Structures are given as C-alpha cells and as structure tokens.
Amino acid sequence: MLTGLAPYVPEGTLSVEESGLIVVAVDGVPLGIQVEEAPPVVRVLGTVVSDVPFSEDLCAWLNEVNANRLRIGYAYWRDNEIRYAIEQIAAPFLLEHLLDALAAASGMVPALTREAALWFPEPVVVG
C-alpha cells in the first residue's frame, strides 16, 4: 500500500497513485489519504521507517509507542515498513477532520522516525 510512497511531493501539490491513494506533502512529509464512503472513513498514512525486518525489538517498540506515546493514531509494521495511521470516522464528514489528521500526522511521522532510529541498532532507510 505505502511501499514506494514518493519520498518527495512538492508542498501544495498532490499525486494520485494507481491504487487511488492520494499523496500530499504537509510540512515536507509525504502522507497518503484513503477515503471510504460507507461507513465514512478517512485514513491518513505515513511511512516512518523502511527496511525494518520483523523482530522482538520491533514488537516491543510498537507496543510501547502505541501504549504510551501516541494520543491519536497508531504505529504498525507491514511490508518491512513501520507506518503511522490516523483513522477519522464521522458522519457527516467535515473537511476540518481531514485537516486535523494531516496536521497531526505531519508532526508524528518525523518524531517517530527520530525515535525509531534510537531503538534499532542496524542501519535503516528513513522514509
């Protein structure tokens, strides 16, 4: 889903992937947006770190981050990437919901990237 998410999307522009994922840059952070109509769900997705193999350290870090650090959204592992997501479920859905989620994700992805670099001794490619 996010593998290959363009690392650089010019601020103020967006791209639409073949999967329908909309990619925008917010404060220099590429974020994907998925929309479902029923029920009304908007997901904001960001790649935190790429090339991370599954391990006990990864599980411990994800559990600690999700339990103690994140007030909104969640971190997870898929396709050798650590990812961050926020899901907004609301009817009626308002543009403010999406803007709030984008603002939160653009701050959380870089913060999680810095923290992940401290946990994993092996070199990783930062998304």
Side-chain angles (χ1 to χ4, degrees):
M1 181 188 339
L2 291 180
T3 303
L5 188 65
Y8 176 74
V9 177
E11 199 77 26
T13 66
L14 61 86
S15 68
V16 180
E17 306 291 317
E18 287 182 25
S19 66
L21 186 73
I22 300 166
V23 181
V24 298
V26 179
D27 296 330
V29 178
L31 298 170
I33 302 168
Q34 287 181 322
V35 179
E36 293 181 19
E37 291 183 52
V41 177
V42 173
R43 289 182 187 88
V44 175
L45 308 160
T47 300
V48 174
V49 180
S50 299
D51 297 328
V52 177
F54 187 81
S55 69
E56 287 183 20
D57 284 345
L58 171 66
C59 290
W61 185 78
L62 287 172
N63 287 332
E64 196 281 329
V65 164
N66 285 315
N68 300 316
R69 302 234 195 285
L70 299 178
R71 291 186 175 181
I72 183 170
Y74 56 93
Y76 65 102
W77 179 87
R78 183 172 177 181
D79 299 328
N80 287 333
E81 293 182 340
I82 297 174
R83 300 175 181 173
Y84 175 75
I86 295 175
E87 295 184 333
Q88 295 288 332
I89 303 168
F93 186 81
L94 302 173
L95 180 59
E96 289 81 21
H97 298 146
L98 175 59
L99 297 177
D100 290 345
L102 287 168
S106 71
M108 285 309 305
V109 169
L112 288 172
T113 299
R114 288 188 299 274
E115 187 170 329
L118 299 173
W119 270 70
F120 304 107
E122 297 177 29
V124 293
V125 177
V126 176

